[in-house]
Amino acid sequence: MANQQRTSTRDAAPTQARRVTAAVVDALIALLCGLTAGTAAGVKVVDGVVELRPQSPAVWGAAAGAAIGLSFLNHVLLTFATRTSLGKLIAGLRVVRASDGGRPGFFRLIGRWLFGFYWMVVFVPIHLATDSDVEQQDAVGLRIVRQ
């Protein structure tokens, strides 16, 4: 029993619902920011008439750039400064090092952010297609805990 580590309720693993809520909120924030930037880039005023030109490459470039940029700002820079992204803050979660519960490092946060894109592209479609019960994974030596 002396070797048994006790996990406090503060550092306990969050429920899957909290993790999914945080991911959805973070994704919606990035997507809405991207759509707003794309819309702003595609607006053209011709003879006092406002037109939206969605076929313009500038629209899609601005949308993708803003969404990816805000995602990086939220998941890497904000998390580096506060240990939490906006979605995790709303869900009551934070990111810590798996080894000791300490503050996550900048390069590990970048790796975790990139792993999130991999997870979204590879595992989410597989999960939806097979109706499996695959749970979101922690990556690069970081984990999500309750605040």
Side-chain angles (χ1 to χ4, degrees):
M1 290 222 159
N3 292 336
Q4 192 176 34
Q5 292 182 350
R6 298 181 82 187
T7 303
S8 69
T9 57
R10 180 179 177 118
D11 288 339
T15 62
Q16 191 65 15
R18 280 187 182 219
R19 292 178 73 120
V20 169
T21 299
V24 168
V25 169
D26 284 336
L28 285 176
I29 290 170
L31 289 174
L32 289 175
C33 182
L35 287 173
T36 303
T39 301
V43 170
K44 186 172 183 178
V45 179
V46 179
D47 296 329
V49 177
V50 177
E51 296 178 354
L52 178 62
R53 298 181 179 228
Q55 71 276 14
S56 170
V59 170
W60 298 104
I68 291 170
L70 185 75
S71 176
F72 182 82
L73 176 76
N74 188 23
H75 285 278
V76 177
L77 299 179
L78 183 62
T79 303
F80 183 68
T82 65
R83 295 187 189 189
T84 187
S85 66
L86 295 173
K88 287 175 193 60
L89 180 66
I90 290 169
L93 304 174
R94 63 188 169 101
V95 178
V96 297
R97 280 193 312 260
S99 62
D100 61 359
R103 184 173 292 278
F106 182 72
F107 292 109
R108 285 191 185 219
L109 287 170
I110 291 173
R112 185 178 180 282
W113 177 65
L114 292 172
F115 179 79
F117 286 112
Y118 172 73
W119 182 266
M120 181 176 59
V121 170
V122 174
F123 290 104
V124 169
I126 292 171
H127 169 67
L128 292 174
T130 62
D131 194 29
S132 67
D133 59 351
V134 173
E135 293 185 359
Q136 187 178 6
Q137 300 294 311
D138 292 322
V140 298
L142 299 177
R143 64 182 218 149
I144 297 174
V145 296
R146 290 186 290 191
Q147 283 190 351

